[in-house]
Amino acid sequence: MAKYLLKRVFYLLLTLFIVITVTFFLMKLLPGTPLQNQQKLSPAQQHLILKQYGLTKPIWQQYLIYVGGVFQGNFGTSFQFSDQPVSYLISSRIGPSLLLGLQAMILGVVPGILVGALGAIKKNTWVDTTTTIISILGISIPSFVLAVLLQYFLGLKLHLFPIADWGGFAYTVLPTLALAASPFADTARFTRTEMVDVLNSDYIELARAKGLSKWGVIYHHALRNSLIPVVTIIGPLAVNIMTGSMVIENIFSIPGIGEQFVKSILTNDYPTIMAVTIVYSVMLMVVLLITDIVYGIIDPRIRISGRSN
Amino acid sequence: MADEVKLPADSFEPLDKSKHLDSEKIAAPNLTFMQDAWRRLKMNKSAIIAMIILVVFFVLAFGSAFFSPHNPNAVNPQFANLPPKWPGININGVNGTLMQAGTRVNAYQAAGAGAGVHYLLGTDYLGRDMLSRILFGTRISLTVAVVATAVDLLIGVTFGLFSGWKGGWIDNFMQRVIEIIMSIPTLVVVVLLILILKPGMMSITLAIAFSSWTTMARLIRAQTLELKEQEYVLAAKTLGESSLKIAFKHLLPNLSSIIIIQTMFTIPSAIFFEAFLSFVGIGISAPQASLGTLLNDGQKNFQFLPYQMWYPAIVLSVIMIAFNIFADGLRDAFDPQTKG
């Protein structure tokens, strides 16, 4: 286990390093400087500003400085908001994004498991059909369409929740619903498939033959075994939520990093784009690592001890 | 004494040989792989309905290149923001009226449009016909998705086949590459690529293709690893076939069901990405339209002119639903053993 963990952390750092390197050089390929109204400035003034951002040094030096900075949590200075360190922009905005992400994850996964299990237990009945239709809708309808619909009906027409902005819990309801729809549908589908498979297995037959009650079999044997693989889709779900958050935060004017990312793309704020890219990758890699470890712990059949390879 | 069985003499006459020629015959026609899949697909009603819907959308969207009710880019400021109006039907919502400050106003009269002016789905803020724009937008969305999927297919299948076939350290290395790519959120990759390639139809297509081939590559590799241990591959190798020929003649046909299924799941996700990027403002740029840009435009006026958002939203959702149902159906048809 320790060996496996060490290997995984090594790959994580390697991946992180590659991500930093690739984004750095990609951003260097792009035109665009921190200068506003470039034509109006004299060459001396331009040089001064570029020097302030450290852009006069040779590229390899800039790269080393950047990599060194990233590992100390320093992502440079934003082009868009002059004198604003990017690390501050991100740390001040990551709170709402994490909160929304966690809420959406819980709201997606828990009901998703229940609905999926219900569909499998009542296979080929109207319950199954209904849950299948709901999950197809959840997978198909883009989160931003759903977000606008929620805004229109629950916010504008029924005045149940605020339509935008960021304040207390009430402000999180609509964006969380919009974000949770697709993880909910994915989880429900996945759980249903797993559960159908488990319900057909021999040990369920045995449990039934022993005379266990129907729900006893379902809870103790079927549900628990079908939940194990569900852990593996947490990673993809996290990606899903991250992707969704960029547009959902925009629609609901939430001060999160997704909204910041889109804003920096539209204003060519390269240091911020790079930083958010790195932050997103780190979050995803950590989620993937944690789910892999959890998977190994909860499923005794798959002991990730390094001998598997 | 046992009873003697009296057999008539003609019992010992040989039967006519030609009568029994049919005994070994298989009555049902010999189905090819595709015919078999089609037979199973036909039994799945929802998949067939989804297929028909998709065909209709494709025909309408691509047909609108030749027969469009209006020019999708013709600006007509006089008729800006007109609600839908269907000739001869007087139901609120499709009779050219809309609510303004609490009262229902005939927008067509207010704009000075004659009795013969009808916009079936209304017009946008520049007076462009919504129906034509939606058809035009659907065409671009579908084109981007299909081309992106084709490129994705090419990269994914080649990468997966090569990795699985070669095995050893090459395979190991290529898998690490995939793992690294997969641990960066797809959208971030797409955004970075679009920034470098400059926003536009071409770059958005390539960006989607370059960031979504990994799933295909992994599936193909896993299957190739299994297939290359098969006897027929060994036979082909023994007979001195080149690797390339084995890949094309033996591996690809056996991988076709995976490729078809995965492709059908890739197209809707490509449609989603395109709509997403255009909605955010880094996708297709004006004057071109896609479902994403139409949604973005519609969202600005959603409170007062909801129809401008409704119709693109409905079209996008229906296409996505149809693709997903059809893909599910295809998976069941091509691979009846998988659980689903």
Side-chain angles (χ1 to χ4, degrees), chain B residues 34-248:
Chain B
M34 281 292 171
Q35 284 168 331
D36 202 32
W38 173 239
R39 186 181 58 84
R40 273 192 296 264
L41 185 67
K42 270 196 297 190
M43 292 191 291
N44 187 341
K45 285 204 188 64
S46 51
I48 290 293
I49 294 171
M51 192 183 79
I52 293 169
I53 292 174
L54 286 179
V55 170
V56 169
F57 269 110
F58 267 89
V59 168
L60 282 179
F62 287 93
S64 76
F66 310 104
F67 307 101
S68 181
H70 294 264
N71 179 347
N73 290 327
V75 177
N76 198 348
Q78 194 198 343
F79 294 153
N81 291 330
L82 290 179
K85 186 179 179 188
W86 296 0
I89 299 173
N90 194 7
I91 306 168
N92 282 341
V94 291
N95 62 0
T97 61
L98 54 85
M99 300 296 280
Q100 262 174 14
T103 49
R104 197 157 268 285
V105 188
N106 188 332
Y108 281 71
Q109 241 166 34
V117 179
H118 299 286
Y119 290 103
L120 292 183
L121 296 183
T123 58
D124 70 356
Y125 66 105
L126 288 175
R128 293 174 292 195
D129 176 38
M130 281 299 282
L131 177 61
S132 311
R133 280 192 77 68
I134 288 176
L135 289 173
F136 179 58
T138 311
R139 186 164 81 231
I140 292 197
S141 288
L142 289 177
T143 312
V144 168
V146 170
V147 176
T149 306
V151 179
D152 160 313
L153 196 82
L154 197 73
I155 306 175
V157 172
T158 318
F159 196 99
L161 262 179
F162 191 78
S163 177
W165 181 253
K166 284 286 172 187
W169 70 270
I170 296 179
D171 180 38
N172 219 326
F173 175 75
M174 288 173 94
Q175 288 316 301
R176 291 294 93 76
V177 171
I178 286 193
E179 269 166 30
I180 288 173
I181 294 175
M182 279 182 117
S183 60
I184 310 170
T186 319
L187 200 80
V188 171
V189 184
V190 174
V191 165
L192 291 179
L193 285 170
I194 287 181
L195 281 176
I196 293 153
L197 301 167
K198 301 279 154 293
M201 207 170 144
M202 185 70 177
S203 58
I204 201 171
T205 311
L206 286 179
I208 294 173
F210 281 131
S211 54
S212 55
W213 56 271
T214 43
T215 322
M216 176 72 90
R218 287 194 125 184
L219 288 171
I220 296 289
R221 171 192 170 258
Q223 196 66 21
T224 307
L225 284 180
E226 220 168 279
L227 288 179
K228 75 173 184 184
E229 304 299 329
Q230 301 284 323
E231 276 86 358
Y232 56 82
V233 174
L234 182 67
K237 264 191 198 164
T238 320
L239 290 170
E241 284 277 42
S242 70
S243 293
L244 203 64
K245 217 165 177 188
I246 294 177
F248 274 102

Side-chain angles (χ1 to χ4, degrees), chain A residues 11 15 18 23 26-27 30 136-137 140 148-149 152-153 156 189 192 197 243 246-247 262 265 277 284, chain B residues 176 180 183-184 187-188 191-192 195-196 276 279-280 282 302-303 309-310 320-321 324 328 339-340:
Chain A
Y11 272 119
T15 311
I18 291 173
T23 42
L26 285 181
M27 290 297 140
L30 292 174
I136 288 263
L137 288 181
S140 306
V148 180
L149 292 183
Y152 186 71
F153 286 110
L156 206 60
R189 261 167 86 108
R192 183 190 171 277
D197 210 33
T243 311
M246 289 182 209
V247 69
V262 174
I265 293 164
T277 305
L284 177 59
Chain B
R176 291 294 93 76
I180 288 173
S183 60
I184 310 170
L187 200 80
V188 171
V191 165
L192 291 179
L195 281 176
I196 293 153
F276 184 97
F279 186 80
V280 170
I282 45 176
F302 191 46
Q303 192 176 350
M309 167 104 189
W310 277 131
M320 293 286 288
I321 293 168
N324 277 316
D328 272 351
K339 26 181 184 159

